[in-house]
Coordinates of all heavy atoms in Angstrom, one line a residue:
W1 N 65.2 -0.2 -47.5 CA 65.8 -0.7 -46.2 C 65.9 0.4 -45.2 O 65.5 0.3 -44.1 CB 67.2 -1.3 -46.6 CG 67.7 -2.0 -45.4 CD1 67.5 -3.3 -45.1 CD2 68.5 -1.4 -44.3 NE1 68.3 -3.6 -43.9 CE2 68.8 -2.4 -43.4 CE3 68.9 -0.2 -44.0 CZ2 69.5 -2.2 -42.3 CZ3 69.6 0.0 -42.8 CH2 69.9 -1.0 -42.0
Y2 N 66.3 1.6 -45.7 CA 66.5 2.8 -44.8 C 65.1 3.2 -44.3 O 65.0 3.6 -43.1 CB 67.2 3.9 -45.5 CG 68.7 3.6 -45.6 CD1 69.3 3.6 -46.8 CD2 69.5 3.6 -44.6 CE1 70.6 3.4 -47.0 CE2 70.8 3.5 -44.6 CZ 71.4 3.3 -45.8 OH 72.8 3.2 -45.9
A3 N 64.2 3.1 -45.2 CA 62.8 3.6 -44.8 C 62.2 2.7 -43.7 O 61.3 3.1 -42.9 CB 61.9 3.7 -46.0
A4 N 62.6 1.4 -43.7 CA 62.1 0.5 -42.8 C 62.7 0.6 -41.4 O 62.1 0.3 -40.4 CB 62.4 -0.9 -43.2
G5 N 63.9 1.3 -41.3 CA 64.6 1.5 -40.0 C 64.5 2.9 -39.5 O 64.7 3.2 -38.4
F6 N 64.3 3.9 -40.4 CA 64.2 5.3 -40.0 C 62.8 5.9 -40.4 O 62.3 5.6 -41.4 CB 65.3 6.1 -40.6 CG 66.8 5.7 -40.2 CD1 67.4 4.8 -40.8 CD2 67.3 6.2 -39.0 CE1 68.6 4.4 -40.5 CE2 68.6 5.8 -38.7 CZ 69.3 4.9 -39.4
S7 N 62.4 6.8 -39.5 CA 61.1 7.4 -39.8 C 61.3 9.0 -39.9 O 60.3 9.7 -40.4 CB 60.1 7.2 -38.6 OG 60.7 7.7 -37.3
D8 N 62.4 9.4 -39.6 CA 62.8 10.9 -39.7 C 62.9 11.2 -41.3 O 63.8 10.8 -41.9 CB 64.1 11.3 -39.0 CG 64.2 12.9 -38.9 OD1 64.0 13.6 -39.8 OD2 64.5 13.3 -37.8
D9 N 62.0 12.0 -41.7 CA 61.9 12.3 -43.2 C 63.1 13.0 -43.6 O 63.6 12.9 -44.8 CB 60.7 13.2 -43.5 CG 59.4 12.4 -43.3 OD1 59.4 11.2 -43.5 OD2 58.3 13.0 -43.0
L10 N 63.8 13.9 -42.8 CA 65.0 14.6 -43.2 C 66.2 13.7 -43.4 O 67.0 13.9 -44.4 CB 65.3 15.6 -42.2 CG 64.3 16.9 -42.0 CD1 64.7 17.9 -40.9 CD2 64.1 17.6 -43.3
I11 N 66.2 12.6 -42.6 CA 67.3 11.7 -42.7 C 67.1 10.9 -44.2 O 68.0 10.8 -44.8 CB 67.4 10.7 -41.6 CG1 67.8 11.4 -40.3 CG2 68.3 9.5 -41.8 CD1 67.7 10.5 -39.0
L12 N 65.9 10.5 -44.3 CA 65.6 9.7 -45.5 C 65.8 10.6 -46.7 O 66.2 10.1 -47.8 CB 64.2 9.2 -45.4 CG 63.9 8.2 -44.3 CD1 62.4 7.9 -44.3 CD2 64.7 6.8 -44.5
L13 N 65.4 11.9 -46.6 CA 65.6 12.7 -47.8 C 67.0 13.0 -48.2 O 67.4 13.0 -49.3 CB 64.8 14.1 -47.5 CG 64.8 15.2 -48.5 CD1 63.9 14.6 -49.7 CD2 64.2 16.5 -48.0
L14 N 67.8 13.1 -47.2 CA 69.3 13.3 -47.3 C 69.9 12.1 -48.0 O 70.6 12.1 -49.0 CB 70.0 13.6 -46.0 CG 71.5 13.8 -46.1 CD1 71.9 14.9 -47.0 CD2 72.1 13.9 -44.7
I15 N 69.6 10.9 -47.5 CA 70.1 9.6 -48.1 C 69.7 9.4 -49.5 O 70.5 9.1 -50.4 CB 69.6 8.4 -47.2 CG1 70.2 8.4 -45.8 CG2 70.0 7.1 -47.9 CD1 69.8 7.5 -44.9
R16 N 68.4 9.7 -49.8 CA 67.9 9.7 -51.2 C 68.5 10.7 -52.1 O 68.9 10.4 -53.3 CB 66.4 9.7 -51.2 CG 65.7 8.6 -50.6 CD 64.1 8.9 -50.4 NE 63.4 7.8 -49.8 CZ 62.2 7.9 -49.3 NH1 61.6 9.0 -49.2 NH2 61.6 6.8 -48.6
H17 N 68.8 11.8 -51.6 CA 69.5 12.9 -52.4 C 70.8 12.4 -52.8 O 71.3 12.7 -53.8 CB 69.5 14.2 -51.5 CG 70.4 15.2 -52.2 ND1 70.1 15.9 -53.4 CD2 71.6 15.8 -51.7 CE1 71.1 16.7 -53.7 NE2 72.0 16.7 -52.7
I18 N 71.6 11.8 -51.8 CA 73.0 11.3 -52.1 C 72.9 10.2 -53.1 O 73.6 10.2 -54.2 CB 73.6 11.0 -50.9 CG1 73.8 12.0 -49.8 CG2 75.1 10.2 -51.1 CD1 74.3 11.7 -48.5
H19 N 71.9 9.3 -53.0 CA 71.8 8.2 -54.0 C 71.4 8.8 -55.3 O 71.9 8.2 -56.4 CB 70.7 7.3 -53.5 CG 71.1 6.4 -52.4 ND1 70.2 5.8 -51.5 CD2 72.4 6.0 -51.9 CE1 70.9 5.1 -50.6 NE2 72.2 5.2 -50.8
A20 N 70.6 9.8 -55.4 CA 70.1 10.4 -56.7 C 71.3 11.0 -57.5 O 71.1 11.3 -58.7 CB 69.0 11.4 -56.5
T21 N 72.5 11.3 -56.9 CA 73.4 11.9 -57.6 C 74.0 10.9 -58.7 O 74.8 11.4 -59.5 CB 74.6 12.3 -56.7 OG1 75.1 11.2 -55.9 CG2 74.1 13.4 -55.7
I22 N 73.7 9.7 -58.6 CA 74.1 8.7 -59.6 C 72.7 8.3 -60.4 O 71.9 7.7 -59.8 CB 74.7 7.4 -59.0 CG1 76.0 7.7 -58.2 CG2 75.2 6.4 -60.1 CD1 77.1 8.3 -59.0
P23 N 72.7 8.7 -61.6 CA 71.4 8.5 -62.5 C 71.2 7.0 -62.7 O 72.2 6.2 -62.7 CB 71.7 9.4 -63.6 CG 73.2 9.5 -63.8 CD 73.7 9.4 -62.4
G24 N 70.0 6.7 -63.0 CA 69.7 5.3 -63.4 C 69.1 4.4 -62.4 O 68.6 3.4 -62.6

């Protein structure tokens, strides 16, 4: 969903980094 709305890779990288703190 975020990738469909944002194209800035640094924003997407930060969001994915925060999500990845929860494994699984």
